[in-house]
Amino acid sequence: MPRGELRIYLGAAPGVGKTYAMLEEAQRRVERGTDVVIALVETHGRPHTAAMIGDLEVIARRTATYRGGTFQEMDLDAVLARHPAVAVVDELAHTNVPGSRHAKRWQDIQELLDAGISVLSTVNIQHLESLNDVVAQITGTTQRETVPDQIVRAAAQVELVDMTPEALRRRMAHGNIYPPDKIDAALGNYFRVGNLTALRELALLWLAGTVDEQLDAYRAQQGISATWEARERVVVALTGGPEGATLIRRAARIAARSKGTDLLAVHVARNDGLAGADPAHLARQRVLVESLGGTYHQVLGSDIPAALLDFARGVNATQLVLGASRRGRFAQVLSRGVGVTTTALSGPIDVHLVTHPEAGRGRRTAGVPALSRRRRLLGFTLAVLGMPVLTASLKALPDLTLTSDILLFLAAVVGVALVGGLWPALLAALGGSLLLNWFFTPPFATLTIAGADNLLALAVFVGVAVAVSGVVDMAARRTRDAARASAEAQTLATVAGSVLRGQRPLTALLDRLRETFALRAVSVLELVDAADGRPDRAREEAAWRLVASVGDAPATSPGAGETAVPVDDRLTVVLCGRRLAASDRRVVEAFAAQAAVALRQQRLAAQAAAARPLAAADRMRTALLAAVSHDLRTPLASAKAAVSSLRSHDVEFDAADRDELLATADESLDRLGRLVANLLDMSRLQAGALGVHAVAIGVEDVVPRALDELGPPAAGVRTDIPADLPAATADPGLLERVLVNIVANALRHSPPHRPPLVTASAHAGQVELRIIDHGPGIPADQWEHVFQPFQRLGDRDNTAGVGLGLALSRGLAEAMGGSITPETTPGGGLTMVLRLPAAASVTAMEEPPA
């Protein structure tokens, strides 16, 4: 049976019209004769959405019971039994009631697809798993219902339902999304213009990336290697030389000319394992690329132009930035070079050859001999002494021909080349040719050669000797370079691993550098006030600040160490203990570049940590304004309406009506007073200025007063307080406030037929009050969230109230030396446990300053 197809309607925020568009598609398919059913659609009370269902067949939902509550879910078995061609299933990211076959609705949809049923569904961008933290940072709201990105990406079609923030806010203001009592708070909180604009951009960018992946998959499936300029992509080629920064900045300027252009930097490493680039330069250039919003890539290849173009075509690049050749003019005459070859083979890819200060200066080589000094001296010794010894030996064997003599001399030259390299072998070849001519080539004892064949034999001897010595020298040089490249790669890989595994990356990096090169100390110095107008400022020790260090007695200025490696205009890494060889410097520079990155990350983390309390305070102020605007308005409006009615002369009220209006005004003003008192107490708690007057008090005296303050809703609350319960030490007024808030919360979530229960007991020098409800309860991992100010667990905004009750209750309990902890009620529900010190166990209690 073929698998069904999934079509998803993606939106930036609630209310953009995803469900409406999905139902429109369902109606179109029905008109075309397709068998379509409504498996589940959430209209959220929107009449236009409900009207769009029309005469579509609707499969009844199943009823699920959880913790005393009743919930409506999609009847998966009924849909499978009905087996339509297309099923309409709303809200892809929905979490099913515990006890369902699947935990998530998208898993239900996967089962429908496996059964050959195509599905139409909806999802908002904030529910995608990869964007969960980004959305939380933008909106201040963490979405607990998420769907894996791969589920959405695997859909046959993803259609964006778009709407401008202004149009969406107008829909909200007209009452087309939320009920009227939630409109003001929603517009001032989640549905702010900035939030909606950011969410819209996230949706557009995510969908654009998905379309890009689909295009790449299609090109790969069809074997299309030609560049399709559907989107600008600029690739900059890096050689690892000092000109890389210039090329990157030039490529970034090219990319900035078009909105949404990708910037990619690529370095083609030789696949023979040899070191061809400076890792320090590459490390700094990688940081520069990423700081400009680009990405860094590395590929292997022996043919650099071919590897570069293969990469560019693979990423569908439209422009390629190369640096002008660093080779000299003579070298460019002999070979066209990478730039010219790449341009000739680029096809539709535009190639930019960028000049730079290093162009035409030639490639700098290290100039380090391939062999050690000891081996070269031994080679020269063999050349100077070995050739005469060989000549004397051959003179003692008169029966050998000239050919045999040449072969033996050639073997000696090869031996010298193997030991000492090029120059000793050349000396041996030159000396051997003269000795062969003088002693073994007729006429003897002269440098004249009589036979042409003898001349040819000597010429071949010299040529072979030079060639063999050159090959030996080249092999030794390549072996040395390969060994050094392997050691450098292993060192850098070890550095990367230690940094990733360490809790303090900068310290781990400096420790690894010190251990690798057996140093006494390593320090990172930063130039203070570099732009104060004094060019010689960097020479003064007072101009430098020690940022980080490891080891004993680290240097406090660049001149105090044996080796100083500048990272940029302000940072320098100083090594103490021994002076490093020049060949080790480029690895140290790579360490230094990574140290700069680690330092930047450390400072960003510190800034983020410092900003986190400010951000939390800002979110709290925003939530407070949004919530208080609603909670203040409701009692004020009620009181205002009641008083205005009483003052009106247009209507005559009888005594019962007047009493009802006065009671309404009184109740509204009491509610307003409790709200203001909560806000003031919370502000005093956070400022540490709440006065606590702790005395010994009986719990049986406080609980009835708290229930009386709650009024008629608390009439059904049951109490079970033992007569022999010891007194608790608490502030009577604050304890009453705590009980009012906790019991009110329990009443709000308790089913009508099972009111809360308040029990009390004594244990281990504490008096425990338990406020037990049998409502839906709260998962254990969410217990701490209910004590955050201005939060209502499970709500998407703060329109239902300020959410201060439990946060304030915990703060007041802790101020009295007690605590509040939640527990799960057996059989379902939540139990709040208020613990207070027993009066007999308390000798004194310090009162905070008022």
Side-chain angles (χ1 to χ4, degrees), residues 10 135 224 310 319 327 373 446 498 554 602 607 659 721 732:
L10 174 68
V135 173
I224 300 172
D310 286 343
Q319 302 188 61
R327 301 181 307 151
R373 181 179 180 184
T446 66
S498 64
Q602 179 176 300
Q607 292 174 2
D659 289 342
I721 302 176

Side-chain angles (χ1 to χ4, degrees), residues 658-695:
R658 293 175 63 84
D659 289 342
E660 183 178 354
L661 290 174
L662 288 172
T664 300
D666 184 60
E667 181 182 349
S668 300
L669 293 175
D670 286 343
R671 180 180 172 187
L672 182 61
R674 287 194 298 270
L675 171 62
V676 173
N678 279 346
L679 291 172
L680 292 176
D681 284 345
M682 177 58 72
S683 65
R684 285 197 291 266
L685 271 176
Q686 292 181 340
L690 181 67
V692 179
H693 304 280
V695 297

Side-chain angles (χ1 to χ4, degrees), residues 620 623-624 626-628 630-631 671 675 678-679 682 686 741 745 748-749 784-793 795 797-810:
M620 184 175 294
L624 174 63
V628 170
H630 176 271
D631 273 30
R671 180 180 172 187
L675 171 62
N678 279 346
L679 291 172
M682 177 58 72
Q686 292 181 340
N741 286 327
N745 186 73
R748 188 181 300 115
H749 296 94
E784 288 302 314
H785 292 188
V786 301
F787 295 105
Q788 296 177 5
F790 316 118
Q791 295 289 329
R792 285 187 174 273
L793 191 63
D795 293 348
D797 52 43
N798 289 320
T799 59
V802 182
L804 273 177
L806 293 179
L808 177 61
S809 298
R810 171 175 275 190

